[in-house]
Amino acid sequence: MKTLRLRLSLLILLLCCLFAGLMPTQTAADATTAQNRPSANAPASPPSSPFNDQAGLPVYPPEEEHSFAARIDRSINCSIQKRPFKVVGGLIAFFLSVIIFLLYCLGCKCSRICRMEAQMNKDELTGLPNMEKFKVLCDSLITTQVTSDYMLLSGDICQFKTINDQFGFGMGDSLLQAYAAILQRNILPEECCARISSDLFVMLLRFDTWEQLSGRVREMDKELDEWRRSQALPYTVRTVYGAYCVPREQERDMQLMLDLANYARLEAKRSSGIPMVLYNEHMRQEALLSHELNGKLEDALTNGEMQVWYQAKVDMRTGAITGSEALVRWNHPSRGMLLPGSFIPMFERNGLVTSIDFFVFEQVCRNLRSWKTRNLPLHTVSCNFSRLHFDRPHFTQRLADIADRYSVPRHLLEVEITESAIMNNPEAVWLQIVQLKEMGFKTAIDDFGAGYSSLGIVQMLDADCLKIDRSFIQRDLPGQRAQIVLGNIIRLASDLGMNVISEGVETAEQSAIIMKLGCYTAQGFFYAKPEPSHEFEARLAMQGL
């Protein structure tokens, strides 16, 4: 508003100066008036007729010679006659001043618009481009750099939320600014980067080889960790990225490419220890399926879409059933029978997997009561439970209440605890195992050897059974080194009083090697596939004959 008032004042002052320059002096006007005034001795002119006799048209009386309009008219005529060049020059100067003033106003407005556009296209905290600007830059680079291959990266900082929670938002903002500065230093002129939201960053980088691209990401991670040490932060700060290879020939949709890179980023976050994952179509299909299934779990449980199947555990020496494992299947109305791997990870991430676990456990108790009533052979049935249960103090009591409701002996129920759950919170798992054994349940360590197993787990957890992961069986079992490792694990568990079950046995050769190493119980397709409850009941009935 102040700027507008100043400009109006300057314009009015300029007009006044020009008007003053054009007006003649008072003496010149008086002299002109005296020359044109008739003398006193001159004969008076006869009064003019109000009509022109020749033309027959009305003639208006002349204006009074001392009126304001007459004086102005005489002044202008006099000025033009005496100083024509000055008048013309003044008019030119006036119009030039107006043009210059208008151009100045237009320039100020354009400058304001440019500043507003720059603010709209820039992230305020880091100074990096925002999403919309990034899309424009990507389109321009991909179109002009026709000889270059590009990789679109979507990534975030893994420990950002922890740093925000423990050290405050100020430290979190500093971390984002530091990483933005690292990106700007490492970005080439024909590349670009942006901050999308929170700790989510995107980059369009030139791509030669996967090793070269991974090396660049590692170098940026090193710089970020150096900044972390300079700030005395106790956590190792690292990033994860999802990568999507930009197609050179076909038509490109920037938003779709960003979505695909984001699918790969989510996969990288789930794959611990992998800093960058390349997108493939399976990731998108999995994400679309998760999006479709999310929110439909309650209906699936109510409508009977969730089903409990059983896979037999077999004594390899006799072929007799020694137990079984309960496995969940989703009989989806439109997608058919879905395996656990397609929906359990999603429900584990959002915490709803606990509802599935208790549903399976209750169905097992109901089936065991039915088998007991029908005099079918009864064996221990094991149920899987997510790591989310073992932080909850009333978990064991709830299992006991369900078993007692169906009058199922607790020793027929085995709780399988995955290796990842144990590594997540070993003390809590140890306490839960002690309580479960005191209540009469059996316990098993599932997937042993799949991840970061240690002998300390076996020593600390007094479980009844150790289930060797299928990766041990499938990975070069005929090799001598693999047999040495597996044989020592079997002997160690046996010496500690634990039963040993080998998962994933699919061939006669594998079965023979495992028995030679001292393990006689197996679970795998070679002996029995997972099957619906009525088919498993038929298997039990055949054994009872």
Side-chain angles (χ1 to χ4, degrees), residues 103-311:
L103 290 174
Y104 172 73
C105 293
L106 182 61
C108 292
K109 186 173 183 179
C110 291
S111 178
R112 279 201 310 274
I113 292 173
C114 290
R115 287 197 300 271
M116 290 174 61
E117 287 182 350
Q119 292 174 354
M120 291 174 59
N121 293 327
K122 183 182 292 186
D123 176 60
E124 185 176 352
L125 177 65
T126 62
L128 294 178
N130 61 11
M131 170 68 88
E132 296 305 318
K133 183 63 174 178
F134 180 76
K135 290 179 181 178
V136 174
L137 292 173
C138 286
D139 283 332
S140 175
L141 288 172
I142 295 172
T143 303
T144 55
Q145 303 289 332
V146 293
T147 60
S148 300
D149 290 324
Y150 279 101
M151 190 73 77
L152 186 64
L153 301 183
S154 171
D156 60 21
I157 303 171
C158 296
Q159 290 77 18
F160 178 71
K161 186 178 184 302
T162 303
I163 291 173
N164 250 352
D165 292 342
Q166 296 199 7
F167 299 97
F169 293 110
M171 180 58 73
D173 290 345
S174 299
L175 175 61
L176 295 176
Q177 291 170 338
Y179 191 59
I182 291 170
L183 294 183
Q184 288 176 317
R185 288 197 298 270
N186 287 273
I187 292 297
L188 302 177
E190 60 272 18
E191 300 172 340
C192 60
C193 63
R195 179 189 176 219
I196 304 304
S197 63
S198 186
D199 63 326
L200 181 60
F201 293 83
V202 289
M203 293 186 288
L204 183 71
L205 303 183
R206 292 187 61 178
F207 174 70
D208 295 323
T209 64
W210 183 258
E211 290 73 20
Q212 173 261 348
L213 188 65
S214 300
R216 291 185 65 181
V217 172
R218 284 195 299 270
E219 287 301 318
M220 288 187 281
D221 264 5
K222 287 180 182 178
E223 290 188 44
L224 184 61
D225 200 55
E226 289 175 3
W227 176 88
R228 186 267 306 177
R229 287 197 294 270
S230 70
Q231 302 296 314
L233 291 175
Y235 304 105
T236 300
V237 179
R238 67 181 187 90
T239 59
V240 292
Y241 277 97
Y244 176 74
C245 188
V246 178
R248 183 184 294 184
E249 302 298 334
Q250 65 189 62
E251 185 177 350
R252 292 172 287 266
D253 182 340
M254 279 306 304
Q255 186 58 56
L256 176 60
M257 291 192 294
L258 286 168
D259 291 341
L260 299 181
N262 197 49
Y263 291 141
R265 178 183 64 86
L266 296 176
E267 185 67 24
K269 293 193 74 171
R270 291 192 289 267
S271 304
S272 178
I274 302 178
M276 188 165 61
V277 172
L278 182 64
Y279 167 82
N280 60 54
E281 183 60 21
H282 173 72
M283 297 174 188
R284 180 171 176 269
Q285 294 301 326
E286 186 180 43
L288 292 176
L289 177 62
S290 297
H291 181 73
E292 179 184 345
L293 299 181
N294 195 19
K296 296 183 178 180
L297 176 60
E298 186 175 352
D299 292 339
L301 294 173
T302 304
N303 299 334
E305 296 174 18
M306 290 291 177
Q307 299 179 1
V308 177
W309 288 30
Y310 295 89
Q311 186 176 24

Side-chain angles (χ1 to χ4, degrees), residues 25 77 114 117 134 149 193 242 259 269 275-276 317 319 359 390 408 423 435 467 472 482:
T25 61
N77 290 335
C114 290
E117 287 182 350
F134 180 76
D149 290 324
C193 63
D259 291 341
K269 293 193 74 171
M276 188 165 61
R317 294 167 296 187
F359 169 81
F390 297 97
V408 174
M423 298 305 297
Q435 293 177 357
K467 297 186 71 175
F472 268 105

Side-chain angles (χ1 to χ4, degrees), residues 437 443-446 448-449 453-469 472 484-502 517-521:
K437 290 177 72 66
T443 58
I445 299 175
D446 192 19
F448 184 83
S453 298
S454 69
L455 297 179
I457 292 176
V458 181
Q459 178 185 358
M460 180 182 69
L461 302 179
D462 185 19
D464 298 293
C465 179
L466 182 70
K467 297 186 71 175
I468 299 174
D469 187 68
F472 268 105
I484 291 173
V485 173
L486 185 57
N488 279 281
I489 292 174
I490 293 171
R491 283 191 293 274
L492 174 64
S494 299
D495 291 344
L496 292 173
M498 302 170 71
N499 296 322
V500 182
I501 298 177
S502 296
L517 296 175
C519 176
Y520 302 105
T521 306

